[in-house]
Amino acid sequence: MNDIREDIIEVPLPLPFALKVVNCYLIKGKNGFTIIDTGLHTDQDLQVWEEAQAKHGWSWNDVEKIVLTHYHPDHYGLAGTLQQLTNAPVYLSRTDWGQAQFFFGRKSDMPERMAAFFAEHGLTEDWVKKIPGHLRSFHSWVEPHPEPTWIAPGETIRMGDRDYQVIHTPGHADGHLSFYDPERQIMIGGDFLLPKITPNISLWPGADPNPLATYLSTLDKMKKVPVKRIFPAHGNAFTHYRERIAQLEEHHEARLQLIAKYVRDLGEPTAYDVCKCLFGDRLSIHNLRFALSETLAHLEYLRVKGKMDLFEKEGTKRYRCKVD
């Protein structure tokens, strides 16, 4: 746990998958603390929050509010439990509350919808069968769900002793929010912008139909915001804000060119065929789900741009490069 500013405390929480750690934050004020993102509902993550209390001298009763950047389990998972412990309101976007229920609600058919979606795009039956159980395994990481209070872009929210602007930064998640202190030019960015890795941009059934276009639009919008330091969910706080945006724009342009090459070389591939070219065929079910969804996001971007045709052949959807 690191004191990054007098009022901002980083709380790194362990994750049982490849990212290893998610950075959550405490913002200290005269009247109490704000928690930003929560980690997963695991004994380990709850223990780290208790260690943060011992180190920094606060209790659950000192928490004024809990604020979430987005609905993904490593950010959302402990929100309901922490709400029960603190009696504090949990703030998030209405969009991402809906996404949390869609992906992780006990009555949701999203696990079956996603399995069918991936099957249409060429995922083999042995993997397709694993998708519903894999998604339902997240229930224990996100329950109980919190009772939400909505926040929306354009509003301000008091965290600690300062007012932060609420900014919609979608792409990684449809309702993703970042929080900006214009006086200090500080941003708490969740997964919007990460210093070393590329935020996953995924196409899911029932969500944004062109998430890469959305994310690139977000990057273009956000490069105009003067930011001296950004506090991300993965990796250290950093200052090369506009440089990092440019790097991510270049990354996606290169990835689009590479995907177009694979489609030309393969002829009429499925998205899963392209995914294997990009990421190999030795992924875990967790990583495969993200790899295939990210491949689809790039393919759909190219299709909408008029660079690809999407058609059905022998029961699966396939892509074909258009002739210039």
Side-chain angles (χ1 to χ4, degrees):
M1 285 159 282
N2 304 308
D3 295 314
I4 302 174
R5 285 288 184 273
E6 288 183 3
D7 61 331
I8 301 177
I9 300 167
E10 180 190 87
V11 184
L13 298 169
L15 300 174
F17 40 79
L19 288 173
K20 301 299 184 187
V21 170
V22 60
N23 295 330
C24 300
Y25 294 93
L26 279 172
I27 300 186
K28 183 179 181 180
K30 291 190 291 291
N31 298 318
F33 287 80
T34 295
I35 291 174
I36 301 180
D37 291 338
T38 66
L40 298 171
H41 187 182
T42 64
D43 290 341
Q44 264 191 311
D45 283 9
L46 194 55
Q47 180 181 341
V48 173
W49 280 116
E50 291 168 351
E51 291 169 357
Q53 290 178 341
K55 179 175 181 179
H56 297 286
W58 59 284
S59 71
W60 296 126
N61 290 334
D62 296 321
V63 176
E64 295 182 289
K65 56 177 67 80
I66 299 163
V67 179
L68 305 180
T69 58
H70 61 296
Y71 77 94
H72 292 163
D74 51 333
H75 301 258
Y76 172 96
L78 259 177
T81 298
L82 296 190
Q83 185 173 46
Q84 291 177 352
L85 291 169
T86 62
N87 291 314
V90 173
Y91 293 86
L92 76 163
S93 70
R94 185 184 292 269
T95 295
D96 268 23
W97 167 252
Q99 291 286 283
Q101 306 315 301
F102 184 46
F103 275 81
F104 310 123
R106 290 275 177 172
K107 297 180 180 179
S108 174
D109 66 350
M110 180 57 165
E112 286 72 29
R113 289 183 61 176
M114 187 175 291
F117 178 67
F118 284 165
E120 289 177 352
H121 285 281
L123 188 63
T124 54
E125 186 178 359
D126 56 332
W127 283 114
V128 169
K129 288 179 178 178
K130 296 178 181 179
I131 293 295
H134 169 63
L135 276 182
R136 289 197 168 95
S137 71
F138 293 172
H139 287 161
S140 65
W141 284 347
V142 301
E143 293 176 341
H145 292 271
E147 294 292 329
T149 299
W150 315 126
I151 45 174
E155 296 179 353
T156 60
I157 185 167
R158 189 77 171 176
M159 298 193 295
D161 297 328
R162 309 187 71 86
D163 290 327
Y164 286 75
Q165 296 174 359
V166 180
I167 303 177
H168 189 207
T169 49
H172 177 71
D174 292 2
H176 192 292
L177 300 175
S178 297
F179 304 96
Y180 178 62
D181 175 353
E183 183 179 349
R184 296 187 295 179
Q185 297 183 0
I186 283 173
M187 182 175 292
I188 298 171
D191 283 343
F192 146 61
L193 195 69
L194 306 176
K196 292 186 177 179
I197 63 174
T198 304
N200 177 262
I201 309 300
S202 286
L203 179 69
W204 310 114
D208 187 334
N210 194 355
L212 181 57
T214 298
Y215 184 62
L216 293 175
S217 177
T218 293
L219 292 178
D220 186 61
K221 174 185 76 172
M222 295 303 291
K223 71 176 66 169
K224 302 174 180 67
V225 179
V227 175
K228 291 181 178 178
R229 185 174 292 270
I230 182 167
F231 302 102
H234 307 284
N236 296 326
F238 61 99
T239 58
H240 57 290
Y241 175 78
R242 286 197 176 93
E243 178 186 346
R244 185 58 183 148
I245 289 176
Q247 289 170 352
L248 289 176
E249 291 173 329
E250 291 169 5
H251 162 82
H252 285 292
E253 179 58 34
R255 180 54 59 92
L256 289 165
Q257 292 180 16
L258 181 60
I259 285 175
K261 177 183 182 301
Y262 285 144
V263 173
R264 285 192 297 270
D265 290 348
L266 293 169
E268 296 179 346
T270 66
Y272 183 49
D273 293 331
V274 179
C275 178
K276 288 187 289 184
C277 290
L278 287 167
F279 298 101
D281 59 0
R282 296 181 180 275
L283 300 174
S284 67
I285 185 66
H286 182 83
N287 290 334
L288 173 61
R289 182 170 61 89
F290 284 107
L292 181 51
S293 296
E294 183 160 305
T295 302
L296 279 160
H298 285 76
L299 285 166
E300 277 297 289
Y301 179 89
L302 290 167
R303 185 190 68 80
V304 173
K305 284 287 189 181
K307 304 293 186 181
M308 298 274 175
D309 284 322
L310 175 65
F311 63 100
E312 190 167 315
K313 181 179 179 181
E314 298 175 352
T316 58
K317 293 183 177 180
R318 296 174 177 271
Y319 289 87
R320 177 174 52 216
C321 282
K322 288 186 176 181
V323 179
D324 293 332

